[in-house]
Amino acid sequence: MPLEPLSQKEIEDRLAELPGWSQEGDRIARAYRLPSHFAATAMVVHIAQVQEELDHHSDLTLGYNTVSLTVNTHTVSAVTERDFKLARRIEDLAAGHGAH
């Protein structure tokens, strides 16, 4: 089944279920603050594991005690359901790393 871009309404509805996430052009984005650089690094590794499992990868940035990412489906240059599946998985693991 080919990936279809979500409508603006579908994107807004899904973002309403993911506090802290926002739309930035043709991407969804989120930044997290963590208690330390080590915690941020561990979260990046955990995100990388999930991305490999889903075979879907974000643009991921590690700061001193921050992790920022943007997600879109490169093959259609738009936001798809696949991006929200990854975002939900990241949200599920973030609290375990002390992220807020």
Side-chain angles (χ1 to χ4, degrees):
M1 175 167 71
L3 293 170
E4 295 293 326
L6 296 175
S7 71
Q8 187 61 39
K9 171 84 167 93
E10 290 171 319
I11 293 169
E12 290 168 4
D13 289 348
R14 284 166 178 77
L15 284 173
E17 299 170 2
L18 289 169
W21 286 82
S22 62
Q23 185 175 10
E24 294 182 3
D26 66 348
R27 300 171 176 270
I28 57 173
R30 175 79 154 95
Y32 297 93
R33 183 166 302 282
L34 291 101
S36 67
H37 181 67
F38 186 82
T41 302
M43 183 169 163
V44 166
V45 171
H46 199 167
I47 291 170
Q49 289 173 324
V50 169
Q51 291 178 144
E52 285 297 305
E53 177 188 323
L54 297 177
D55 191 27
H56 189 51
H57 303 83
S58 66
D59 291 325
L60 187 58
T61 304
L62 171 64
Y64 169 70
N65 66 340
T66 60
V67 173
S68 303
L69 59 144
T70 61
V71 185
N72 82 339
T73 301
H74 301 286
T75 57
V76 294
S77 298
V79 177
T80 68
E81 187 57 44
R82 192 171 189 200
D83 303 314
F84 281 98
K85 181 177 182 179
L86 176 57
R88 281 187 215 95
R89 291 284 302 274
I90 292 168
E91 278 299 300
D92 289 346
L93 67 82
H97 291 278
H100 56 81

